[in-house]
Amino acid sequence: MNKFKFILLFCIILILSACSHPAAQKQLFAMDTYMNFNVKGKNSQEALNKICDEIFNLDIIFDRNEKSSELNTLNQSKISNVSDELLDIIQQSIDISEQTNGAFDITLAPVLDLWGFYNQNYKVPSDDELKLSLNKIGYKKIYITGNNISLDNTEIDLGGVAKGYAADKTIEILKEYNIESAIISLGGNVYALGNNDGKPWQVGICDPFNTEKNIGIVEVENKAVITSGVYQRNFNYEGKFYHHIIDPKTGLNPNNNISSVTVIGSNSTECDALSTAFMVMGIDESAKFLINRDDLGVIFITNTNDLYVTYNIKNYFITDNTVNFINE
Ligand code: ADP
Ligand code: MG
């Protein structure tokens, strides 16, 4: 098991330890990560069976490294008629690109390939290589007419949003089965449905400098808690540290001091995309974005281990560390 997978598994175990007497549990490996589902109530097993089918179905559609996947077909042929799911995730992603001035951009695939993040064959691209690939980046290169999508000299990578989308689909299925209490973790993308025997669910926020520890917990009900961090996929080269979040404007790691961002909100797709976007935007630009978004809670951890937290979560974020509030 590589370090990345071990860290995810550890964080998940911490989360599971918060669950009492689950009616049904399931663990699986999909979308290149470990997923855990803890569901309480009648029909739990039936709901979990349907969830597994749905997750594997989405994995087959979204995996751009799988030759026969729908996304790979679109990337290679540049035009195709896509399923409702692929259309939906691409449309939601473009929406967030527009809101974040392109900090989140699913057309980053050509640059991600240069860095080797898709197959862990890491390398630092040359300036010339980056320049060529940056010409292929831009969410405005995606054209949509009905279910028909065409790509103008670009390719799509859904790594920054696929797990959040799968979490939303999971919650939809749980609601179809009238499940009122569950906690799910898709590679650290958590959703807490309802409550845990009358108490809020407790979700650990990983310490990016010691991923076997939590830096705090949030107490939540009916919320997604989604983290992007530099510790999730990274490598060192000639004494420098590189990680898997890329600024679409430069093709490089963002030039800021953020180690992880957790976004808490009701929609997992949005929280997943925004956690990646805020890693790129840094605290000041994200704070401006958040002025009109009191429905979102955000925890930034800097690379000096300082905490910057939106004021609206002060009553349910519990930590021993000093907290600096933003948008107070
Ligand atoms: P993880 O998948 O590790 O939970 P994220 O949700 O932050 O973390 O997604 C990171 C992944 O998103 C990268 O591995 C890459 O595939 C993709 N990505 C990196 N930078 C961006 C970006 N600026 N916009 C959209 N996708 C990105
Ligand atoms: Mg993300």
Side-chain angles (χ1 to χ4, degrees), residues 96-130:
I96 295 183
S97 296
E98 276 164 356
Q99 293 172 36
T100 60
N101 291 323
F104 182 77
D105 194 324
I106 53 171
T107 65
L108 254 184
V111 167
L112 293 170
D113 287 352
L114 286 181
W115 285 95
F117 280 112
Y118 69 105
N119 62 2
Q120 298 180 4
N121 198 0
Y122 304 133
K123 67 183 178 70
V124 179
S126 69
D127 290 349
D128 286 346
E129 284 176 311
L130 267 181

Side-chain angles (χ1 to χ4, degrees), residues 4 64 102-108 112 117 157-161 163 186-187 189 226-229 232-233 244-248 272-273 275-277 279-280:
F4 168 66
R64 75 181 176 101
F104 182 77
D105 194 324
I106 53 171
T107 65
L108 254 184
L112 293 170
F117 280 112
D157 174 280
L158 295 171
V161 70
K163 283 174 282 172
L186 283 63
N189 288 231
I226 296 192
T227 302
S228 289
Q232 278 160 338
R233 268 165 225 243
H244 71 150
I245 312 279
I246 302 288
D247 183 340
D272 194 2
S275 67
T276 308
M279 285 289 301
V280 172

Side-chain angles (χ1 to χ4, degrees), residues 217-234:
I217 56 162
V218 287
E219 295 192 325
V220 287
E221 294 179 20
N222 299 315
K223 287 274 189 273
V225 181
I226 296 192
T227 302
S228 289
V230 299
Y231 55 88
Q232 278 160 338
R233 268 165 225 243
N234 55 56

